Structure formats: structure tokens, C-alpha cells
Amino acid sequence: MMKKITFSALALGLCFSAFAQEPVNSAAVAKIRTEGLDKSKASEIAYQITDVAGPRLSNSPGLKRAQDWAVKYFNEMGLKNVHLEAWGDFGKGWQVDKYYAATTKPFYRPIIASPKAWTPSTNGPIKSEVILIKADTITDLAKYKGKLKGKIVMIESALVQPLKNTYKADAVRYTEEDLEKMAAATPPAAGGGGQGNRQGAPGAGNNQRAMMMRMMGMRAAIDSVLLAEGIGLKLTYARGSHGTFFTSNGASYKLDAKAVNPELEVSSEDYLHILRLLRGGEKVEIEAEVKTSFYDKDPKGYNVIGEIPGTDPKLKDEVVMLGGHYDSWHSGTGATDNGAGSAVMIEAMRILKAIDFKPKRTIRIALWSSEEQGLFGSRGYVKQHFADPADMKAKPEHEKLSAYYNLDNGTGTIRGVYLQGNAAVKDIFQAWLTPFADLGAKTITISNTGGTDHQAYDGVGLPGFQFIQDPMDYNTRTHHSNMDTFDRLDVEDLKKSATIVASFVYHTSERAEKLPRKAMPTPAPARP
């Protein structure tokens, strides 16, 4: 540890010469590093969020358990203004109470799967021959009329293909070359995703889009027929391999959502095994039982809020925010998405309280809900407190926010910051990163990154930032999957990230001026 502090002091000395216009408090950084790296509670916090609270699907009992724990922990920590704050109406909560499925013919074999979110229970335990439905048109379904009641069904699709081996490692860290490319990026075009955009590949062409729409329409029509026939259970193919499957929702969470079929999302190996047997003319029998519950007494969505109040007479009404989304999907326990980011931000607040920091500006943490359905928690909060993107009319609090920092790209340690096209903060962030070069955090990229809650702030002209994180196995193994559990967390990475975030928040709160901003966007034109 002594070597780290010595390095840090040297780095800070260099920082003052290279970035003399942006001071760094070396004594505060040393305290933050000691508390964050040597006395961390990140693992214990992550344990409570994942192992104890469990899956945290929006408005589910699991999310409520996690929110109640956070409120209790924030109060124990000594945060002020701790509360659950409604951001608007969400809809129904849902959870799995029981799931079991196995093939019984041609032999017994348990099936790796999960009920799709917001789908109903089976009518008690069921046992059925599996019927493979082959239908390209609604007319093709006529031959199944009166034959499907209570049956377990699969739908034939040319899109389901044999698995292929991959020879790339699941978990990776950014190389120096990767980081150099990020640092060399050019400013993104207005509205562009830029390097690191979590949304992935460019959109499909018109022909592909039209084909997808036709397929979706056909699938919806088939599901409607299956519902009318009263099937017992539908099996669908889940993306993934090696026992990992990536889950999704099979129905709407709206209070007035239409009825759907009970549905299991089945791991690729198990699904393909059953499909090969059916295509080969063999009979397959499955026994299964699914019990799910819906929760509609309180359809509102809530964020968890807590503060360290500012102490400077002139600056205490200004705010520095940090946060991450607290909700998850249901087949794992939401460890890397986004128990990791939530734990880091909670730990950053703990670090600042532990060193008895009395900030000039108020520091506010927010744990968002319903990010997975469309950044609802953060967008609702921003709309209520700062500005409505529909008209871009700033509310009084808009002027008071200095910055919002977000973490939501898995367990990987922080390697730098995406500037979201805000070049004016580059030298500031470079100075603040310099003391953590020994932890691998040194890269500043002008690029945007998308798919998470900082976009709610950036979208109304506020400085909102997501940190660059090592990819690890986030996109290959854990993101929205049944493997997203505590065991996939790298605790040392969480410690480093919390330490860096705490320092960023410290220096933002102490800075003479708020962080520079980009121009306020213009309202998007109304859709016809």
C-alpha cells in the first residue's frame, strides 16, 4: 500500500504541472484510496443486493427487498434525505414462485430454462407429448385445431440453427491498443452513438426490417391461435450456449396487458436436443410446472435517493449526482447488470462518509428502477427535476446540477471516462484520473456510449457521464443471463472503481465552478 501512495503522490505532482489549471487534493485522494482499497465494503454490499435480495425485476418483491435494504443502509451510513421517490407509473410486478421442467421420454433429463417475464403459470403440473408446430401462415394452423389443449408446443423456425464453437475467450480486458484507439477517437456526430455504444451494430436495412416485422406479425398471430386453443406451455429458444441463456420478457407489464400463453425460454442445448428428436420423428414427452405471481397493488416505479448535504453557504444548493440502475432481469440475480454498478456507487458514498468528508456541494446518490424497460427511473427523475426533453424548458434545478456519474457496464474496473462529446471537461477529467494510473485508469475518449442512465441527463444538456470499464465477460456470459450471479463479480475491480468514483465525486463537489456543459439540445420534432 505504501508503494501505491508514493506513486499517487508522484502522479499528483505531475498532475499539477501538466494540468495546473485543475487542482487535485493529494491528501484527500490518499484518504480515499486507503478507505476504498484497504477497508472496502463493496463485497458485502454486492452480497446484499444479489444473494440476499435476489432477482430485481421492475416492481417485483426482489426489487422491493433491495430498495428497503438500501434505505436502511443509507440511514445507517448517515446519509440525509433518504427516501423512495416515485418517478411515475410503471405497471405490474412479477416473479417466479416455482419452475420445474424435464423430458421424461425418450429418457429423463432436467431442462435448463426460465419462465419468460410477465408470463402466467401453467394449470398446475402438466405432462404432455411435445407438438412441433409447422406453420408459415395462419391457414397452416387449421390442421392443429382442437388438438392443442393442455399440450406443450414448440414452433418450427428456420432461424434456429445448430450451435457453433467459438475460440475467443469469454472474459477480456482492454489492451493498451484498445485504449489508445478510444483516446484517439474524433468527436461524434450530433446524436450519434460513437465508439462504445452498447446498442451494438447498425440498424437493419429496410428489407430486413420489413422481414422482421412480418415474422413478428406471424408469431403474434400464432400465439393468439395457441391461446385460443388453450395450450399448456410454449417452449422458445433462448440465445446462448454452454448452459448460459439470455432472457427477456414474454408479455407486457402494463396493468391492462392482454393474456398470453405460459412460456419457457429454454437453453440452446436443451431446446436443440428436443428439436432434433422431433424432426427425426421421435416422440418427446415433458413434465413441467410453472408458478408465477403478479403484483399490481402499487403500479408506481420508485428510485432510492440519499444525500451528503453540502456545507458551503454559496454552493450547498448545487448538486453532484452519482448512480446506477438497481433493477435486473429474473433468471440470475443481476450481479453484473447492475448489482456491480449499484454496489460501487453505494461504496463510493460510504467511502466519502468514512473519511468524514464535508462537501461544499450536496452529493446525491440515486438507484434507478426500470432501466431495463427504457431508462424509466432516470428519465422520470430528470423530467421531474431538471427538464422535459419534449420541450427542453429547464427547471430551476437544471442550473444547480454540476454532474451526474453513472456505472452500468458490468464488474470490470474503470479504465477512464466517455466524454459524451463534451470536450471542455477533457483536461479536468485527465487531471482527476492521473492519481489512478497505477490502477489502469487513464483513458479519456470524446466518444459517446449509450444504453444506460447517463443518457437521461445528457439528453437535456446536463453533464452526464458513464465510465469506461473492462468488458470482462459482460456481453458474452452475464448480461441478462442466468449466469449473472455474485460469482461473476470481480471484487478487486469493484474496490478500484468505487475508489475512483469517490475521488471524482469529491473533486466535482469541491471545484470552484460547476463542470462545463454542452449546448442545450433542441426539442425533437413531434412524430406525425
Side-chain angles (χ1 to χ4, degrees):
M1 182 57 204
M2 182 58 70
K3 289 183 179 179
K4 288 184 178 179
I5 293 176
T6 302
F7 180 94
S8 196
L10 173 61
L12 284 170
L14 294 173
C15 174
F16 277 117
S17 60
F19 305 100
Q21 73 279 14
E22 191 58 43
V24 175
N25 187 325
S26 58
V29 170
K31 288 182 180 180
I32 289 169
R33 286 177 66 107
T34 298
E35 186 64 37
L37 299 178
D38 297 346
K39 304 176 184 179
S40 175
K41 302 295 182 184
S43 180
E44 292 93 325
I45 294 169
Y47 162 77
Q48 290 290 336
I49 296 171
T50 59
D51 285 346
V52 178
R56 302 177 304 284
L57 193 72
S58 291
N59 274 21
S60 70
L63 180 59
K64 182 66 165 60
R65 284 193 297 272
Q67 289 173 330
D68 289 345
W69 173 82
V71 167
K72 180 174 179 288
Y73 191 69
F74 284 2
N75 281 313
E76 290 173 352
M77 199 192 304
L79 301 189
K80 303 300 181 183
N81 192 27
V82 177
H83 64 283
L84 293 176
E85 182 171 326
W87 52 259
D89 289 332
F90 174 76
K92 295 180 288 189
W94 178 92
Q95 76 172 9
V96 179
D97 299 320
K98 181 179 181 180
Y99 152 70
Y100 164 74
T103 58
T104 51
K105 290 182 181 179
F107 54 85
Y108 179 86
R109 187 167 187 259
I111 295 172
I112 299 173
S114 173
K116 275 196 168 187
W118 289 287
T119 59
S121 307
T122 56
N123 187 20
I126 60 175
K127 194 170 189 177
S128 163
E129 179 183 347
V130 182
I131 296 177
L132 181 61
I133 294 177
K134 301 178 181 180
D136 295 321
T137 66
I138 297 299
T139 305
D140 295 338
L141 290 172
K143 60 186 174 184
Y144 299 102
K145 186 173 179 60
K147 301 177 182 179
L148 301 179
K149 186 173 180 60
K151 300 295 184 181
I152 297 174
V153 304
M154 295 170 66
I155 299 172
E156 179 68 276
S157 172
L159 296 178
V160 178
Q161 296 292 320
L163 295 176
K164 293 183 179 179
N165 285 329
T166 177
Y167 300 96
K168 293 182 179 179
D170 272 357
V172 296
R173 293 192 185 273
Y174 282 128
T175 65
E176 288 300 313
E177 183 181 7
D178 293 331
L179 295 170
E180 286 170 5
K181 287 180 180 178
M182 288 188 186
T186 55
Q195 182 178 344
N197 190 339
R198 226 170 41 157
Q199 299 305 312
N206 290 335
N207 290 339
Q208 289 177 299
R209 199 172 294 116
M211 182 178 70
M212 290 173 63
M213 293 300 291
R214 286 195 298 272
M215 290 174 60
M216 290 173 63
M218 180 61 188
R219 186 57 57 86
I222 291 175
D223 283 339
S224 181
V225 171
L226 298 182
L227 186 66
E229 285 289 303
I231 67 166
L233 181 64
K234 178 184 173 185
L235 307 182
T236 54
Y237 182 82
R239 179 177 62 88
S241 63
H242 304 291
T244 297
F245 64 89
F246 298 86
T247 194
S248 60
N249 62 300
S252 171
Y253 46 80
K254 299 297 184 183
L255 293 178
D256 58 354
K258 294 180 180 179
V260 298
N261 299 296
E263 187 172 351
L264 277 186
E265 204 156 26
V266 181
S267 63
S268 55
E269 291 89 353
D270 286 338
Y271 189 95
L272 290 169
H273 169 229
I274 297 167
L275 185 60
R276 285 192 300 271
L277 290 170
L278 294 174
R279 286 173 174 172
E282 301 290 338
K283 288 187 176 182
V284 179
E285 183 181 77
I286 286 179
E287 61 182 17
E289 183 177 13
V290 174
K291 289 184 179 180
T292 63
S293 293
F294 293 84
Y295 301 86
D296 58 6
K297 288 185 179 180
D298 183 1
K300 291 191 178 299
Y302 296 89
N303 301 316
V304 186
I305 307 295
E307 293 180 343
I308 302 175
T311 59
D312 186 277
K314 294 182 178 179
L315 300 178
K316 64 182 180 180
D317 290 336
E318 295 183 1
V319 178
V320 182
M321 289 194 69
L322 67 161
H325 78 86
Y326 211 36
D327 61 308
S328 75
W329 285 100
H330 58 288
S331 62
T333 55
T336 67
D337 187 27
N338 182 40
S342 298
V344 164
M345 294 318 204
I346 295 171
E347 169 67 359
M349 292 292 278
R350 189 203 66 79
I351 291 169
L352 294 174
K353 286 294 294 181
I355 66 171
D356 198 28
F357 175 45
K358 301 292 192 297
K360 292 181 179 178
R361 293 178 175 85
T362 293
I363 297 171
R364 182 181 301 157
I365 185 172
L367 302 177
W368 311 116
S369 67
S370 301
E371 186 268 357
E372 297 293 0
Q373 286 72 48
L375 316 186
F376 291 156
S378 57
R379 283 176 170 163
Y381 185 89
V382 166
K383 183 178 178 180
Q384 290 174 356
H385 288 266
F386 302 117
D388 185 342
D391 58 25
M392 292 297 174
K393 292 181 180 177
K395 298 179 185 295
E397 290 180 69
H398 191 280
E399 179 59 28
K400 298 293 186 181
L401 186 80
S402 181
Y404 169 72
Y405 298 110
N406 194 76
L407 205 68
D408 179 25
N409 278 172
T411 189
T413 190
I414 289 173
R415 305 299 300 276
V417 190
Y418 294 101
L419 297 184
Q420 293 297 126
N422 187 349
V425 298
K426 180 180 180 180
D427 287 349
I428 298 168
F429 285 175
Q430 198 70 68
W432 294 350
L433 276 181
T434 296
F436 303 103
D438 63 320
L439 303 185
K442 59 183 180 180
T443 301
I444 301 292
T445 178
I446 195 67
S447 296
N448 294 347
T449 187
T452 191
D453 294 291
H454 70 289
Q455 289 181 294
Y457 288 79
D458 188 60
V460 295
L462 292 169
F465 305 99
Q466 163 71 28
F467 291 93
I468 301 169
Q469 294 175 255
D470 272 336
M472 310 298 277
D473 54 358
Y474 187 62
N475 288 313
T476 57
R477 187 61 56 183
T478 66
H479 182 238
H480 297 183
S481 87
N482 60 321
M483 296 297 169
D484 193 8
T485 64
F486 182 92
D487 305 280
R488 307 315 306 168
L489 296 176
D490 188 312
V491 173
E492 291 303 312
D493 279 23
L494 300 184
K495 292 179 183 179
K496 294 174 186 177
S497 293
T499 301
I500 294 166
V501 170
S503 183
F504 262 65
V505 169
Y506 171 90
H507 286 96
T508 308
S509 70
E510 298 304 279
R511 199 168 186 271
E513 304 292 336
K514 297 191 301 292
L515 289 186
R517 300 182 177 188
K518 299 185 293 187
M520 186 80 162
T522 56
R527 293 184 178 180

